[in-house]
Amino acid sequence: MQQFSATDAALSGFRLVREHLKTVGVWAILMTVASLIVSIATIKLAGPQMATMMELSAEPSSDPQATLKAMEGMGPLFLFSGLYSLVVYSVLLTGVNRLVLRPRDGASAYLRLGADELRQAAVLFLVNLILLGVYFALVIVVAIIAGIGVAIGGSAIGVALGVLLGLAAVAALVFVAIRLSFAGALTFDTGKISIRGSWDLTKGRFWPLLGSYFVATVLALVVYLLLVVIIAVVGAALGGGIAAMGDAFNPDMTSLATFFTPAGIVRTLFSGVLSILVLLIVFAPAPTIYAQLKGRDLSDTFG
């Protein structure tokens, strides 16, 4: 059985940044522009409603009716947001796969709009649909068994059983997600949408994959928090004061004026860098491991 280095794979995102700094810079600029356009459109279309929803979600005992009322008329915005995310991540994830698996195909900074991206969009949709279906199935099973536990042994038994089953359900969901984690790389490499192929290729490799993905996720979280703190400090130094630090974590989308505070401007300028770094750290391990399992030479990718 072909092996791979879980540690090297977990650090593959950092290595891609080091070896392809110009490409990462182009991606960051494009992502910044896209995020800016989407933020302005969101504020113009539903800024006050978004602010109200955020306030309600922060309240533990918020009225569900008030939340539903705040969501009225936001269907088109949610649809646009979903399509935007699907298109952007399809293009970027295809770019990551191309960067790792076809490092010499560097025209247009590894970004395209073509058949590879369409297949990646289909894979994203199908994998998320599968995970959503698994999630709802597990929720129903947990609710039924916990209900039976309450009926037989009382509320304490039911709660304990619900907690244990909930943890088991999370573990099951993580297991399925990891077993499907090669779907994007496999589809890009073969030119055919392949979900089952990922399940077969990850067989017997769950624990090293989990370790690699976990380390990559922790590293991405550290980078994210570090950059957010830097953004907050720079925003405060530019005139926003201590209160500006909160804007970096919880931007006010009521209007353009409240969104583009000193901290908001800095956050917007750094948004592309933040998004691309996190994307590479989290998603580069999968195609890197896939390439190692296939015996590919990655010297052109990582130098």
Side-chain angles (χ1 to χ4, degrees):
M1 180 182 291
Q2 187 75 30
Q3 299 299 320
F4 65 91
S5 171
T7 302
D8 287 347
L11 298 174
S12 59
F14 291 98
R15 296 167 66 194
L16 285 178
V17 173
R18 181 190 65 194
E19 298 296 332
H20 302 273
L21 193 58
K22 182 179 178 180
T23 296
V24 173
V26 173
W27 289 14
I29 292 172
L30 293 175
M31 193 64 182
T32 299
V33 173
S35 298
L36 178 61
I37 293 173
V38 170
S39 296
I40 293 174
T42 301
I43 292 171
K44 286 292 187 180
L45 293 173
Q49 291 169 293
M50 290 288 293
T52 301
M53 284 183 59
M54 292 180 68
E55 291 176 3
L56 291 172
S57 63
E59 299 176 4
S61 57
S62 58
D63 183 6
Q65 295 295 329
T67 304
L68 290 174
K69 184 174 179 59
M71 293 174 62
E72 288 181 359
M74 295 185 66
L77 180 61
F78 291 145
L79 179 60
F80 168 76
S81 178
L83 290 174
Y84 164 80
S85 298
L86 182 62
V87 171
V88 168
Y89 279 98
S90 297
V91 171
L92 288 176
L93 290 179
T94 304
V96 174
N97 286 319
R98 188 174 287 116
L99 192 59
V100 174
L101 300 174
R102 301 178 194 167
R104 297 183 181 180
D105 188 10
S108 303
Y110 295 92
L111 300 180
R112 312 278 197 281
L113 278 174
D116 287 328
E117 285 70 23
L118 287 175
R119 283 189 290 268
Q120 200 69 211
V123 168
L124 277 174
F125 179 78
L126 291 173
V127 168
N128 281 283
L129 188 63
I130 292 171
L131 293 176
L132 189 63
V134 171
Y135 169 78
F136 281 118
L138 291 171
V139 167
I140 292 172
V141 170
V142 169
I144 291 174
I145 297 178
I148 294 173
V150 171
I152 296 175
S155 60
I157 297 296
V159 171
L161 192 58
V163 171
L164 291 175
L165 289 173
L167 293 175
V170 171
L173 195 61
V174 170
F175 176 80
V176 174
I178 289 177
R179 293 297 302 274
L180 298 179
S181 61
F182 287 170
L186 191 58
T187 297
F188 176 81
D189 192 36
T190 63
K192 298 178 181 179
I193 296 175
S194 180
I195 306 296
R196 176 63 183 273
S198 175
W199 192 270
D200 295 337
L201 193 56
T202 54
K203 184 178 180 180
R205 299 185 172 101
F206 173 79
W207 291 110
L209 286 172
L210 175 62
S212 183
Y213 296 159
F214 176 76
V215 172
T217 301
V218 171
L219 292 174
L221 181 60
V222 171
V223 170
Y224 175 83
L225 292 176
L226 179 62
L227 286 177
V228 167
V229 170
I230 292 173
I231 291 169
V233 171
V234 172
L238 290 177
I242 299 299
M245 292 188 176
D247 293 340
F249 298 92
N250 188 26
D252 186 348
M253 302 188 71
T254 305
S255 65
L256 292 177
T258 57
F259 184 79
F260 288 110
T261 59
I265 294 173
V266 174
R267 181 185 60 247
T268 301
L269 293 176
F270 276 87
S271 63
V273 174
L274 181 60
S275 299
I276 295 303
L277 286 180
V278 170
L279 175 93
L280 286 170
I281 295 170
V282 172
F283 292 105
T288 300
I289 295 171
Y290 170 83
Q292 291 176 345
L293 293 177
K294 291 294 184 179
R296 303 287 181 81
D297 180 8
L298 293 175
S299 59
D300 287 338
T301 301
F302 297 111

